[in-house]
Amino acid sequence: MDATEVIYEGELGSVHSSAEAAVYLPDSMEMSKHKAIPQAISKSLETPKEAIRIAPEPAAARPHADRALLLAVLKEKLPPFPFRHADAAIESPKTARLPVQVAARGQTPVACYLAIHGFRDKQIASLLNISESEVSEAIESVMERAR
């Protein structure tokens, strides 16, 4: 496993990234971060129950660290919601499912949720019936505020 760096520290959790993966670790985890980070980043170990691992995906529009950062911001700003990797697939955008807590908050959280799953701005724009530039601006503004 290669070295990780902290790319986000929020009130409810943190994001740690390496070349192998990025991981969102909620502060409420029972396992210590010292143990959870290597386990969550590893390809061969099971990700701790409360952690969310975001792996590099060649087809994804954004790097895994950016996608994990977007996830952390949604986790900080929205009511608690489940994140499931199976909710959306780049190959079949029209079948994407959204947690109600995300969908109820409007287009920016929905755009971010789909971006976490690797969707391109053009795909997101088509699903939300808005312009590609609106999607890009919304996601970039969320990331800028988080940094």
Side-chain angles (χ1 to χ4, degrees):
M1 185 189 79
D2 56 353
T4 61
E5 67 175 301
V6 178
I7 61 168
Y8 179 82
E9 282 280 354
E11 291 181 26
L12 301 176
S14 56
V15 174
H16 306 265
S17 184
S18 75
E20 291 183 34
V23 62
Y24 171 73
L25 299 176
D27 287 343
S28 61
M29 283 185 63
E30 290 182 26
M31 182 183 285
S32 73
K33 286 183 182 179
H34 179 72
K35 286 184 177 183
I37 292 169
Q39 186 171 332
I41 295 293
S42 172
K43 291 179 185 177
S44 60
L45 298 173
E46 187 174 333
T47 302
K49 185 176 127 189
E50 302 94 345
I52 301 172
R53 183 179 195 273
I54 305 291
E57 176 66 48
R62 290 174 173 79
H64 59 284
D66 288 353
R67 293 170 31 234
L69 175 63
L70 288 170
L71 176 62
V73 171
L74 290 185
K75 288 289 193 179
E76 294 278 329
K77 303 292 183 193
L78 301 181
F81 65 91
F83 178 84
R84 294 176 295 268
H85 290 286
D87 278 351
I90 298 168
E91 305 80 32
S92 54
K94 293 191 186 285
T95 63
R97 295 179 308 215
L98 300 166
V100 69
Q101 300 89 332
V102 174
R105 295 300 173 133
Q107 291 180 332
T108 296
V110 170
C112 289
Y113 192 78
L114 295 172
I116 294 163
H117 285 281
F119 284 47
R120 300 200 173 284
D121 292 354
K122 185 175 183 174
Q123 291 173 301
I124 297 168
S126 175
L127 291 170
L128 297 179
N129 202 25
I130 60 176
S131 74
E132 194 173 336
S133 64
E134 287 176 284
V135 170
S136 178
E137 289 169 14
I139 292 171
E140 291 305 316
S141 73
V142 168
M143 289 179 45
E144 283 300 316
R145 284 192 301 252
R147 290 184 179 136

